[in-house]
Tab-separated table of all heavy atoms in Angstrom:
chain	number	residue	atom	x	y	z
A	1035	ARG	N	33.098	56.899	-16.672
A	1035	ARG	CA	33.436	57.090	-18.098
A	1035	ARG	C	32.133	56.848	-18.892
A	1035	ARG	O	31.865	55.599	-19.236
A	1035	ARG	CB	34.630	56.258	-18.507
A	1035	ARG	CG	35.328	56.614	-19.865
A	1035	ARG	CD	35.290	55.690	-20.840
A	1035	ARG	NE	36.151	56.058	-21.945
A	1035	ARG	CZ	35.453	55.808	-23.171
A	1035	ARG	NH1	34.159	55.603	-23.258
A	1035	ARG	NH2	36.165	56.014	-24.297
A	1036	PRO	N	31.475	57.857	-19.307
A	1036	PRO	CA	30.286	57.623	-20.027
A	1036	PRO	C	30.737	57.021	-21.492
A	1036	PRO	O	31.799	57.256	-21.991
A	1036	PRO	CB	29.693	58.902	-20.322
A	1036	PRO	CG	30.192	59.742	-19.233
A	1036	PRO	CD	31.605	59.279	-18.928
A	1037	ILE	N	29.944	56.308	-22.151
A	1037	ILE	CA	30.045	55.975	-23.520
A	1037	ILE	C	29.490	56.864	-24.504
A	1037	ILE	O	28.359	57.418	-24.271
A	1037	ILE	CB	29.534	54.510	-23.716
A	1037	ILE	CG1	30.055	53.381	-22.761
A	1037	ILE	CG2	29.458	54.041	-25.136
A	1037	ILE	CD1	29.270	52.028	-22.822
A	1038	HIS	N	30.251	57.241	-25.525
A	1038	HIS	CA	29.668	58.213	-26.411
A	1038	HIS	C	28.715	57.492	-27.293
A	1038	HIS	O	28.924	56.412	-27.814
A	1038	HIS	CB	30.884	58.656	-27.361
A	1038	HIS	CG	31.936	59.465	-26.498
A	1038	HIS	ND1	31.750	60.647	-25.936
A	1038	HIS	CD2	33.125	59.052	-26.187
A	1038	HIS	CE1	32.761	60.911	-25.071
A	1038	HIS	NE2	33.625	60.023	-25.429
A	1039	LEU	N	27.569	58.203	-27.479
A	1039	LEU	CA	26.416	57.611	-28.293
A	1039	LEU	C	25.918	58.620	-29.235
A	1039	LEU	O	25.942	59.814	-29.064
A	1039	LEU	CB	25.334	57.338	-27.312
A	1039	LEU	CG	25.477	56.297	-26.164
A	1039	LEU	CD1	24.344	56.338	-25.318
A	1039	LEU	CD2	25.630	54.927	-26.863
A	1040	LEU	N	25.533	58.001	-30.342
A	1040	LEU	CA	24.888	58.907	-31.404
A	1040	LEU	C	23.388	58.454	-31.462
A	1040	LEU	O	23.108	57.299	-31.978
A	1040	LEU	CB	25.486	58.742	-32.741
A	1040	LEU	CG	24.924	59.562	-33.964
A	1040	LEU	CD1	24.971	61.054	-33.607
A	1040	LEU	CD2	25.670	59.301	-35.160
A	1041	ALA	N	22.517	59.151	-30.736
A	1041	ALA	CA	21.059	58.699	-30.586
A	1041	ALA	C	20.211	59.254	-31.669
A	1041	ALA	O	20.360	60.439	-32.023
A	1041	ALA	CB	20.662	59.279	-29.218
A	1042	ARG	N	19.459	58.515	-32.238
A	1042	ARG	CA	18.398	58.753	-33.194
A	1042	ARG	C	17.034	58.525	-32.603
A	1042	ARG	O	16.966	57.894	-31.556
A	1042	ARG	CB	18.665	58.104	-34.592
A	1042	ARG	CG	19.935	58.468	-35.269
A	1042	ARG	CD	19.848	59.956	-35.674
A	1042	ARG	NE	21.102	60.352	-36.319
A	1042	ARG	CZ	21.798	61.216	-35.975
A	1042	ARG	NH1	21.668	61.950	-34.766
A	1042	ARG	NH2	22.858	61.726	-36.556
A	1043	GLU	N	16.024	58.816	-33.325
A	1043	GLU	CA	14.589	58.675	-32.837
A	1043	GLU	C	14.364	57.124	-32.400
A	1043	GLU	O	13.878	56.853	-31.379
A	1043	GLU	CB	13.681	59.102	-33.864
A	1043	GLU	CG	12.146	59.130	-33.236
A	1043	GLU	CD	11.268	59.712	-34.230
A	1043	GLU	OE1	11.536	60.718	-34.839
A	1043	GLU	OE2	10.103	59.193	-34.324
A	1044	ASP	N	14.711	56.249	-33.371
A	1044	ASP	CA	14.295	54.770	-33.030
A	1044	ASP	C	15.543	53.783	-32.854
A	1044	ASP	O	15.365	52.686	-32.635
A	1044	ASP	CB	13.620	54.311	-34.416
A	1044	ASP	CG	12.194	54.960	-34.573
A	1044	ASP	OD1	11.746	55.332	-33.587
A	1044	ASP	OD2	11.865	55.067	-35.688
A	1045	TYR	N	16.713	54.480	-32.829
A	1045	TYR	CA	17.911	53.569	-32.698
A	1045	TYR	C	19.155	54.421	-32.278
A	1045	TYR	O	19.052	55.723	-32.262
A	1045	TYR	CB	18.230	52.795	-33.993
A	1045	TYR	CG	18.501	53.811	-35.171
A	1045	TYR	CD1	19.769	54.249	-35.453
A	1045	TYR	CD2	17.456	54.195	-35.998
A	1045	TYR	CE1	19.974	55.180	-36.521
A	1045	TYR	CE2	17.623	55.029	-36.968
A	1045	TYR	CZ	18.946	55.475	-37.370
A	1045	TYR	OH	19.171	56.396	-38.355
A	1046	SER	N	20.258	53.870	-31.952
A	1046	SER	CA	21.486	54.669	-31.654
A	1046	SER	C	22.689	53.916	-31.946
A	1046	SER	O	22.562	52.567	-32.121
A	1046	SER	CB	21.515	55.144	-30.185
A	1046	SER	OG	21.628	53.935	-29.386
A	1047	TRP	N	23.884	54.412	-32.102
A	1047	TRP	CA	25.071	53.888	-32.316
A	1047	TRP	C	25.916	54.277	-31.095
A	1047	TRP	O	25.849	55.240	-30.494
A	1047	TRP	CB	25.841	54.407	-33.580
A	1047	TRP	CG	25.305	53.955	-34.778
A	1047	TRP	CD1	25.332	52.730	-35.423
A	1047	TRP	CD2	24.565	54.677	-35.715
A	1047	TRP	NE1	24.864	52.595	-36.556
A	1047	TRP	CE2	24.207	53.826	-36.797
A	1047	TRP	CE3	24.085	56.000	-35.840
A	1047	TRP	CZ2	23.563	54.320	-37.968
A	1047	TRP	CZ3	23.443	56.364	-36.939
A	1047	TRP	CH2	23.131	55.678	-37.922
A	1048	SER	N	26.777	53.148	-30.739
A	1048	SER	CA	27.609	53.392	-29.537
A	1048	SER	C	29.014	53.344	-29.985
A	1048	SER	O	29.419	52.736	-31.102
A	1048	SER	CB	27.286	52.255	-28.571
A	1048	SER	OG	28.380	52.251	-27.587
A	1049	GLU	N	29.911	54.028	-29.336
A	1049	GLU	CA	31.383	53.963	-29.654
A	1049	GLU	C	31.824	52.581	-29.576
A	1049	GLU	O	31.372	51.669	-28.778
A	1049	GLU	CB	32.158	54.947	-28.942
A	1049	GLU	CG	32.340	54.541	-27.477
A	1049	GLU	CD	33.188	55.359	-26.681
A	1049	GLU	OE1	34.467	55.306	-26.828
A	1049	GLU	OE2	32.805	56.066	-25.747
A	1050	SER	N	32.823	52.263	-30.358
A	1050	SER	CA	33.383	50.923	-30.123
A	1050	SER	C	34.375	50.947	-28.921
A	1050	SER	O	35.102	51.919	-28.570
A	1050	SER	CB	34.391	50.719	-31.270
A	1050	SER	OG	35.004	49.500	-31.110
A	1051	ILE	N	34.179	49.908	-28.029
A	1051	ILE	CA	34.892	49.829	-26.754
A	1051	ILE	C	35.990	48.776	-26.783
A	1051	ILE	O	35.585	47.711	-27.206
A	1051	ILE	CB	33.917	49.535	-25.600
A	1051	ILE	CG1	32.709	50.652	-25.368
A	1051	ILE	CG2	34.651	49.296	-24.270
A	1051	ILE	CD1	33.299	51.883	-24.950
A	1052	THR	N	37.134	49.175	-26.479
A	1052	THR	CA	38.262	48.336	-26.548
A	1052	THR	C	38.797	48.095	-25.110
A	1052	THR	O	39.142	49.185	-24.527
A	1052	THR	CB	39.455	48.755	-27.464
A	1052	THR	OG1	38.934	49.042	-28.731
A	1052	THR	CG2	40.567	47.867	-27.443
A	1053	GLU	N	38.644	46.933	-24.662
A	1053	GLU	CA	38.960	46.703	-23.235
A	1053	GLU	C	40.527	46.777	-22.962
A	1053	GLU	O	41.320	46.298	-23.885
A	1053	GLU	CB	38.540	45.227	-22.756
A	1053	GLU	CG	38.714	44.954	-21.336
A	1053	GLU	CD	38.027	43.727	-20.895
A	1053	GLU	OE1	38.360	42.654	-21.374
A	1053	GLU	OE2	37.102	43.864	-20.102
A	1054	GLN	N	40.894	47.420	-21.936
A	1054	GLN	CA	42.337	47.689	-21.621
A	1054	GLN	C	42.583	47.445	-20.070
A	1054	GLN	O	41.738	48.021	-19.262
A	1054	GLN	CB	42.700	49.119	-21.774
A	1054	GLN	CG	42.334	49.645	-23.187
A	1054	GLN	CD	42.220	51.224	-23.220
A	1054	GLN	OE1	42.222	51.814	-22.032
A	1054	GLN	NE2	42.030	51.738	-24.302
A	1055	SER	N	43.518	46.705	-19.744
A	1055	SER	CA	43.822	46.550	-18.369
A	1055	SER	C	44.479	47.796	-17.838
A	1055	SER	O	45.067	48.514	-18.626
A	1055	SER	CB	44.880	45.284	-18.179
A	1055	SER	OG	44.167	44.205	-18.422
Side-chain angles (χ1 to χ4, degrees):
R1035 197 233 185 235
I1037 295 174
H1038 300 291
L1039 299 167
L1040 180 58
R1042 295 294 183 240
E1043 188 173 322
D1044 296 329
Y1045 58 91
S1046 67
W1047 285 289
S1048 172
E1049 74 173 290
S1050 177
I1051 298 293
T1052 303
E1053 188 168 63
Q1054 312 155 346
S1055 293

